[in-house]
Amino acid sequence: CVDLIDYIRGLDTVAIAYCGVGNEPDGGTEFWRDPATGLSASAAQYFAYYAVIADAVKAYDPTLKVGGPEAVNPVANFTAWIRGLMAYCQTNNKPLDFVSFHAYNQTGWLLNQVCAKIDKAKTDLSWVGTLELISGEWNRGPGPVPPFRQGGTFTELGDFAAGAVARELMELQRLGFARAIYFKNTRNLTGAAS
């Protein structure tokens, strides 16, 4: 992790301020597997992994912001993964500068639901300090979501979609997100690059 930060900083074109730990650990075995069993890793396994990486990042450079979990299903999996990470970090005195998740489809509704849950968790946990929000991937949909599907490919910014995307950007700003990374699917429905 620290070697990767050194490498990227050595490129002289990239400034690193945030280090996200993980990608969709709540999404099953696609990204997170228990090496011993090949089954989906548990939230507890992810938290232990997060702690090691977060401590290493902060030991290397305390000014870097660290967070996670980049939850793929932040509403359904909120308690186990997002609130769970918040509670784990608070209980074990581990750094957590931001929480991150993916927001697809009905994004305005989803963002409001997750933000309300985060605010409630902060109150319930008596959270001390700031906790930034990051949408590590957002779009109107990672898959075929009418009317954005045309001819088997995804149309992220057609005339109709542009208004929806503008509305989502305003919602992200209103809710106080520190960062939002727009995800553009570059593959058609068969998985081939388009």
Side-chain angles (χ1 to χ4, degrees), residues 139-140 145 147-151 153-159 161 182:
N139 196 329
R140 295 304 302 167
V145 181
F148 307 104
R149 178 179 170 199
Q150 296 179 350
T153 61
F154 303 108
T155 305
E156 289 90 354
L157 294 176
D159 291 343
Y182 182 82

Side-chain angles (χ1 to χ4, degrees), residues 179-190:
R179 301 279 186 272
I181 296 110
Y182 182 82
F183 178 81
K184 181 175 189 238
N185 189 336
T186 59
R187 298 191 174 273
N188 67 25
L189 296 178
T190 65

Side-chain angles (χ1 to χ4, degrees), residues 96-142:
L96 182 65
D97 299 309
F98 64 88
V99 292
S100 56
F101 57 90
H102 298 172
Y104 288 108
N105 306 326
Q106 307 169 5
T107 308
W109 171 87
L110 184 137
L111 292 172
N112 280 285
Q113 291 291 312
V114 176
C115 288
K117 288 176 178 276
I118 289 170
D119 287 343
K120 183 174 181 338
K122 285 166 67 175
T123 299
D124 292 349
L125 296 168
S126 301
W127 190 265
V128 177
T130 60
L131 186 64
E132 292 183 16
L133 302 173
I134 294 181
S135 179
E137 292 179 15
W138 75 273
N139 196 329
R140 295 304 302 167

